[in-house]
Amino acid sequence: MTAPTTNASTETADLPSDAPPIPEGSTMVTVKIERYNPEVDDDLHWESYRIPALPSDRVLNLLHYIKWYIDGTLTFRRSCAHGVCGSDAMRINGVNRLACKVLMKDMFAKKGETTITVEPIKGLPVEKDLLVNMEPFFEAYKAIKPYLVATGNDPTRERIQSVAERERFDDTTKCILCAACTTSCPVYWSEGSYFGPAAIVNAHRFIFDSRDEAAEERLDILNDIDGVWRCRTTFNCTDACPRGIQVTKAIQEVKRALMFRRR
Amino acid sequence: MTTTEAPLSVDKPRSPARPAARRSNFELYSWIFMRLSGVVLLFLVLGHLLIMLFLDGGVHRINFAFVAGRWASPFWQFWDLTMLWLAGLHGGNGLRTVINDYSRSDRTRFWLKMLLYCSIVLTVVLGTYVLFTFDPNIS
């Protein structure tokens, strides 16, 4: 038995002996991962792994394969693995995606060997491999007061809302806080403290909620130098959102609300 | 085994991490100004280029007398003055956002912006001064 390959090699030529048998219909693909171990590495560096992939596999399955059978030190977040928890946002082939929502059948090269690059999401400090420090992201999220603010006595009945009133902010209720949009934004990558698309989406969700009473306060927060006016409408956020939220549209709606102070 | 230096818990989790909103509409107005001045500049600049470069022999006929003749009319004085102010402020504000986005430290950001503001004031003030004090009979 050969010893399991560690991260010492940059190209894993042979699969480890304890790996499961290669399933029928699978193709060998190269997964290039930008890795960083703060305990040994000085900087980020690329490592490649040649592993089998089925068309029905998701990129997350490939990462699992590498972690379980080739290099157990590979670090990444994932929880539900079904596109709901928002843990496994990463840069796959240069675009922000949830690893659990990208199917391999869409990734195979038309000709020749398939190579998939996987990087941590940009703009947040990398802690280890694909794991980033999400604190700056959640700091911006908390700053826009992402909760219902209502004054007066609590009503004895439900806070009734019409179908149209609910529809007004329906799109922005879908956010799962995966940070794919915020870390795809070129303005967010730069130094500074731009709130970022995700925080604005979650502000939108309450600004346009008829039951909420703190819209003015949130609009004031987003009217400042790091708010919505830094958005350059590059639409990276809309392309990145795994939930299909029209992020740029939501930001523009906040701008319009600020201009006319009317919702 | 070594440990990373990252803290295990967030320091003072309930203290506000960013300053309170300043309730200033400056960014809003500068955003609207960019859109409006952009539309106006489209006509002013394209008209200017058309007159200066293409009509009536274009660039070859431009000399002191041509400029003096144009500025004898308040219409062209007003045209050039509007173009100077809008282009100066539009371009300056655009560069301000570029500096805000790209400079890495607060000190670089501050000094680049100071340099920018000085050059805007110099260009706009000097241009306005020339437009109003232009003497066609200068020897």
Side-chain angles (χ1 to χ4, degrees):
Chain A
M1 184 192 147
T2 54
T5 321
T6 57
N7 61 355
S9 73
T10 48
E11 176 79 36
T12 318
D14 305 308
L15 294 172
S17 56
D18 59 341
I22 296 174
E24 210 175 308
S26 60
T27 321
M28 292 303 282
V29 298
T30 304
V31 183
K32 243 180 101 182
I33 305 178
E34 193 172 48
R35 302 203 51 182
Y36 171 66
N37 181 351
E39 291 169 8
V40 269
D41 300 329
D42 293 329
D43 211 349
L44 306 169
H45 60 99
W46 291 95
E47 290 204 23
S48 297
Y49 305 88
R50 205 156 171 277
I51 55 168
L54 284 168
S56 55
D57 272 337
R58 300 155 302 166
V59 171
L60 183 65
N61 295 95
L62 272 60
L63 295 177
H64 276 155
Y65 189 97
I66 297 166
K67 184 173 176 68
W68 293 342
Y69 305 118
I70 300 174
D71 184 356
T73 67
L74 179 65
T75 306
F76 55 91
R77 281 195 186 94
R78 67 102 177 80
S79 186
C80 79
H82 289 82
V84 180
C85 72
S87 302
D88 60 350
M90 48 192 77
R91 236 165 111 84
I92 300 166
N93 281 355
V95 284
N96 284 3
R97 293 284 180 266
L98 295 184
C100 58
K101 283 193 82 174
V102 182
L103 274 178
M104 281 310 296
K105 71 178 172 72
D106 303 322
M107 305 295 279
F108 288 130
K110 291 204 174 60
K111 274 187 279 183
E113 170 98 17
T114 303
T115 304
I116 294 162
T117 62
V118 183
E119 299 157 77
I121 44 179
K122 286 178 76 156
L124 293 168
V126 176
E127 300 267 292
K128 190 181 179 190
D129 294 339
L130 302 171
L131 187 124
V132 298
N133 181 1
M134 298 282 280
E135 201 45 46
F137 173 80
F138 283 114
E139 183 274 316
Y141 172 65
K142 285 176 210 152
I144 53 94
K145 302 181 191 294
Y147 39 81
L148 185 85
V149 179
T151 52
N153 297 325
D154 282 335
T156 47
R157 292 182 301 139
E158 295 171 69
R159 297 176 203 270
I160 305 291
Q161 196 167 42
S162 74
V163 173
E165 283 170 336
R166 177 60 180 74
E167 178 63 28
R168 183 67 194 86
F169 61 93
D170 186 66
D171 199 35
T172 45
T173 60
K174 299 178 196 159
C175 179
I176 54 172
L177 296 171
C178 66
C181 60
T182 294
T183 57
S184 75
C185 175
V187 180
Y188 191 79
W189 294 338
S190 72
E191 215 78 12
S193 40
Y194 175 46
F195 277 94
I200 301 172
V201 158
N202 285 282
H204 178 285
R205 184 250 170 273
F206 286 99
I207 288 169
F208 293 93
D209 187 337
S210 59
R211 299 164 297 187
D212 188 87
E213 290 170 26
E216 284 299 315
E217 203 179 327
R218 292 193 191 92
L219 285 173
D220 277 339
I221 295 169
L222 293 178
N223 197 20
D224 213 343
I225 185 148
D226 293 317
V228 288
W229 307 112
R230 287 195 84 170
C231 166
R232 309 273 183 276
T233 54
T234 56
F235 282 89
N236 278 18
C237 48
T238 306
D239 290 340
C241 181
R243 307 281 296 171
I245 300 173
Q246 299 296 307
V247 183
T248 314
K249 185 182 172 201
I251 300 175
Q252 296 304 95
E253 283 176 357
V254 174
K255 284 182 189 168
R256 195 172 305 159
L258 273 167
M259 268 192 285
F260 304 110
R261 286 282 170 173
R262 149 161 68 79
R263 283 171 280 152
Chain B
M1 193 191 136
T2 51
T3 50
T4 55
E5 283 169 25
L8 285 171
S9 63
V10 182
D11 187 35
K12 287 178 273 174
R14 282 174 194 282
S15 59
R18 46 175 92 220
R22 296 171 302 171
R23 301 187 62 91
S24 139
N25 277 329
F26 178 76
E27 294 296 325
L28 164 71
Y29 292 139
S30 85
W31 188 87
I32 295 173
F33 170 77
M34 290 304 268
R35 267 87 203 146
L36 297 181
S37 62
V39 172
V40 178
L41 277 170
L42 208 61
F43 292 103
L44 291 178
V45 173
L46 288 181
H48 179 82
L49 289 176
L50 189 74
I51 294 163
M52 291 301 176
L53 301 181
F54 294 105
L55 299 183
D56 266 351
V59 74
H60 301 295
R61 82 199 138 136
I62 296 177
N63 53 24
F64 187 83
F66 179 78
V67 176
R70 263 165 68 85
W71 279 353
S73 147
F75 175 79
W76 293 117
Q77 265 191 320
F78 177 73
W79 181 301
D80 283 0
L81 187 73
T82 321
M83 198 163 66
L84 171 72
W85 275 77
L86 289 185
L89 295 179
H90 182 99
N93 193 35
L95 213 50
R96 178 182 73 92
T97 58
V98 171
I99 292 170
N100 275 342
D101 278 0
Y102 281 90
S103 48
R104 293 287 175 97
S105 75
D106 284 345
R107 253 180 65 197
T108 331
R109 188 173 288 127
F110 175 81
W111 286 112
L112 280 177
K113 282 205 274 192
M114 281 302 127
L115 186 70
L116 173 72
Y117 296 153
C118 291
S119 59
I120 296 171
V121 169
L122 187 74
T123 323
V124 171
V125 168
L126 195 67
T128 312
Y129 175 75
V130 171
L131 264 164
F132 280 116
T133 59
F134 179 74
D135 180 8
N137 303 317
I138 199 164
S139 50

